[in-house]
Amino acid sequence: MSFNKQELTQTTTFADQKRKTVEIAEFTEDGRYKRKIRSFVLRTGRLSEFQKNAMNQHWHFYGLEHQIQPFNFQTIYGNDNPVILEIGFGMGHSLVEMAHQNPHFNYLGIEVHTPGVGACIANAVEKEVKNLRVICHDATEILRDCIPDNSLTGLQLFFPDPWHKAKHHKRRIVQTPFVAKISQKLVQGGFIHMATDWENYAEHMLDILRQANELENTSITNDYIPRPESRPLTKFEQRGHRLGHGVWDLYFTKK
């Protein structure tokens, strides 16, 4: 069976279009492609009908778009509760659980992979979570353009891509400019909570965070902390424990 162009356009839903526009090519003034170093690979995993329907039906409430001006969180959430940002929430299970358990906080999640965004929204709808919003866009651009300075109570970064090969370490999201930008967005006393199951990346995170003079390590041993109860144990992490993998949590606050 064949479809003409008009029929294909009519069957393209919001979720389908969002999946195609997460990565937008940028060009210099003379028309050359501007290549960026990304901290993620834009995978083309298939959106299930369940995930697609969740995005199509509920994006108007849960979804936020990239914009060239700071968000007004009071307008977005309808209250003045503290805002916690999570970057790279995967399928969103732990993020939704945290939002469900802590209605006195507002949660904002960023994820570039649309199947995860769809799954997160579906889970939030099922649990009737109202204090959560999600963005499907590059986190560095959201931080640069949309997050007001001194507006976040916390930043969560759990199990980011470790880019374990030395030649790929430059792609790790945790770098000095990233931590400086996050610190700029945090309120005084705000936190940065990171976790990884790659020891080399944990050491890298610790080194970068220690270099930030405006941050203070809460670890009594000046390195890592035990997993706090506030961070739900994910299926991924449970599997790692069974296989004997370590997990390193880091928790710094802004002075």
Side-chain angles (χ1 to χ4, degrees):
M1 180 181 296
S2 62
F3 297 90
N4 61 37
K5 185 176 181 180
Q6 183 177 4
E7 288 173 328
L8 285 173
T9 301
Q10 291 174 343
T11 59
T12 299
T13 67
F14 167 81
D16 297 312
Q17 190 62 32
K18 172 61 71 174
R19 181 168 172 263
K20 296 176 182 177
T21 57
V22 174
E23 179 90 348
I24 301 174
E26 294 186 16
F27 298 87
T28 60
E29 291 183 359
D30 58 357
R32 290 179 299 169
Y33 177 68
K34 187 188 297 183
R35 185 173 182 271
K36 291 184 176 182
I37 296 177
R38 298 287 189 181
S39 62
F40 59 87
V41 175
L42 194 63
R43 304 178 184 89
T44 56
R46 178 180 175 273
L47 264 169
S48 70
E49 288 301 311
F50 180 69
Q51 295 161 352
K52 185 186 298 185
N53 289 339
M55 288 188 69
N56 287 334
Q57 295 171 15
H58 300 284
W59 185 261
H60 67 281
F61 180 83
Y62 288 102
L64 296 178
E65 299 288 352
H66 172 261
Q67 60 186 41
I68 311 298
Q69 61 181 357
F71 290 138
N72 184 323
F73 289 134
Q74 182 179 12
T75 299
I76 290 170
Y77 293 99
N79 58 58
D80 290 322
N81 291 344
V83 178
I84 296 175
L85 171 66
E86 181 166 331
I87 294 177
F89 56 74
M91 302 304 281
H93 299 301
S94 62
L95 177 59
V96 171
E97 182 61 27
M98 293 179 86
H100 185 251
Q101 294 295 330
N102 300 282
H104 52 291
F105 286 110
N106 294 323
Y107 288 84
L108 176 61
I110 303 176
E111 176 58 62
V112 294
H113 305 297
T114 48
V117 174
C120 181
I121 292 175
N123 192 9
V125 170
E126 181 182 359
K127 290 183 177 293
E128 299 184 347
V129 169
K130 304 298 185 183
N131 57 328
L132 171 65
R133 301 294 185 273
V134 297
I135 304 173
C136 192
H137 198 85
D138 182 354
T140 59
E141 294 176 0
I142 295 297
L143 287 170
R144 181 193 66 199
D145 300 331
C146 306
I147 305 298
D149 291 348
N150 306 302
S151 67
L152 298 177
T153 291
L155 178 282
Q156 299 177 166
L157 183 68
F158 301 147
F159 306 102
D161 193 324
W163 294 101
H164 55 278
K165 294 182 179 179
K167 66 180 181 179
H168 291 154
H169 283 184
K170 63 185 178 182
R171 293 183 176 272
R172 289 174 168 176
I173 191 171
V174 181
Q175 306 290 351
T176 298
F178 172 78
V179 170
K181 179 62 69 175
I182 289 296
S183 300
Q184 182 181 340
K185 305 303 178 180
L186 289 176
V187 299
Q188 185 176 9
F191 69 85
I192 295 177
H193 183 188
M194 300 182 181
T196 180
D197 62 338
W198 283 80
E199 186 172 13
N200 174 265
Y201 200 3
E203 293 169 349
H204 171 85
M205 290 175 170
L206 182 60
D207 182 55
I208 294 295
L209 289 167
R210 279 175 170 172
Q211 293 176 32
N213 294 328
E214 68 276 17
L215 299 178
E216 183 175 12
N217 195 348
T218 64
S219 166
I220 60 174
T221 53
N222 199 34
D223 46 21
Y224 312 106
I225 64 167
R227 180 185 68 85
E229 293 184 1
S230 60
R231 180 172 72 77
L233 192 65
T234 66
K235 292 181 179 179
F236 168 82
E237 191 174 355
Q238 289 173 339
R239 178 178 178 274
H241 284 323
R242 290 196 299 269
L243 296 174
H245 298 170
V247 172
W248 293 264
D249 280 78
L250 302 94
Y251 199 98
F252 281 66
T253 56
K254 183 177 179 179
K255 298 176 183 176

